[in-house]
C-alpha cells in the first residue's frame, strides 16, 4: 500500500509543480504587459510634456510680440522674471509667433456661443412632441 501512496504523492507533486510553473508563466506575462503599458504611458506623457513646453514657448513669444517686446511689463503681468520670459520665447521664430497671434485673433473674432440657462420645470411642463404619422387614421394600414 505504500507504493500506491507514493505514486499518488508523486502525481500530486507533479500537479503542484505544474501549477507553480503556470503561475510563474502568468506572472512573467503580467510583468511584461505591465512593463509595456508603463513604457507606453511614459512615452505618451513625454510627448504631452514636449507639446506643452512648445506651446508655452510659443505663447511667451506671442505675448512678448503683442506687448512690443516689453519683457519687464509682461514678466510682471505673468509673475516671471524678464530673463526667464525672454529665454523661453527666444527659440520661437518670428514667423511662428505671428502665426500664433493670427490664431489668437481668429479665435477672438469668433462670436461666443450663447448659453441659455434652462428653466427648472421646462422639461416636465413643456408640450410633448406629436406622435409620428406612420399609419393612416383609424389604426393599422390596410394589408390587402
Amino acid at each position: 500500500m505504500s507504493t500506491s501512496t507514493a505514486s499518488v504523492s508523486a502525481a500530486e507533486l507533479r500537479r503542484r509543480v505544474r501549477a507553480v510553473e503556470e503561475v510563474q508563466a502568468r506572472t512573467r506575462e503580467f510583468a511584461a504587459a505591465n512593463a509595456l503599458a508603463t513604457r507606453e504611458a511614459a512615452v505618451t506623457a513625454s510627448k504631452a510634456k514636449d507639446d506643452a513646453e512648445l506651446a508655452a514657448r510659443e505663447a511667451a513669444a506671442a505675448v512678448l510680440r503683442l506687448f512690443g517686446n516689453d519683457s519687464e511689463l509682461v514678466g510682471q503681468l505673468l509673475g516671471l522674471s524678464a530673463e526667464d520670459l525672454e529665454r523661453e520665447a527666444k527659440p520661437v521664430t518670428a514667423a511662428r509667433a505671428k502665426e500664433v497671434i493670427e490664431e489668437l485673433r481668429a479665435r477672438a473674432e469668433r462670436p461666443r456661443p450663447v448659453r441659455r440657462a434652462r428653466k427648472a420645470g421646462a422639461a416636465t411642463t413643456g408640450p410633448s412632441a406629436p406622435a409620428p404619422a406612420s399609419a393612416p387614421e383609424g389604426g393599422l394600414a390596410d394589408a390587402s
Side-chain angles (χ1 to χ4, degrees):
M1 193 137 151
S2 65
T3 3
S4 80
T5 307
S7 66
V8 171
S9 294
E12 178 64 19
L13 183 59
R14 283 192 298 272
R15 188 193 66 73
R16 288 183 182 181
V17 167
R18 281 192 303 274
V20 167
E21 289 171 347
E22 288 173 9
V23 168
Q24 288 174 339
R26 282 191 304 232
T27 302
R28 286 190 295 267
E29 289 173 8
F30 285 139
N34 185 42
L36 181 61
T38 304
R39 180 67 186 137
E40 288 173 355
V43 168
T44 301
S46 176
K47 174 84 170 103
K49 178 182 178 278
D50 291 346
D51 291 347
E53 287 176 350
L54 176 63
R57 285 191 302 272
E58 290 175 346
V63 75
L64 275 175
R65 193 169 184 86
L66 287 169
F67 279 86
N69 290 324
D70 189 347
S71 58
E72 292 293 328
L73 173 63
V74 174
Q76 287 176 351
L77 291 172
L78 299 178
L80 299 170
S81 71
E83 295 81 24
D84 287 344
L85 189 61
E86 289 174 356
R87 186 175 345 103
E88 195 169 303
K90 187 176 182 178
V92 179
T93 65
R96 179 60 188 144
K98 285 181 183 179
E99 289 174 7
V100 170
I101 291 169
E102 289 304 315
E103 291 170 6
L104 291 170
R105 282 189 180 132
R107 188 170 150 199
E109 289 173 355
R110 274 188 245 138
R112 290 187 175 184
V114 178
R115 295 186 183 194
R116 296 180 185 173
R118 293 185 181 182
K119 295 180 183 175
T124 58
T125 61
S128 60
S134 59
E137 283 190 30
L140 299 173
D142 192 11
S144 51

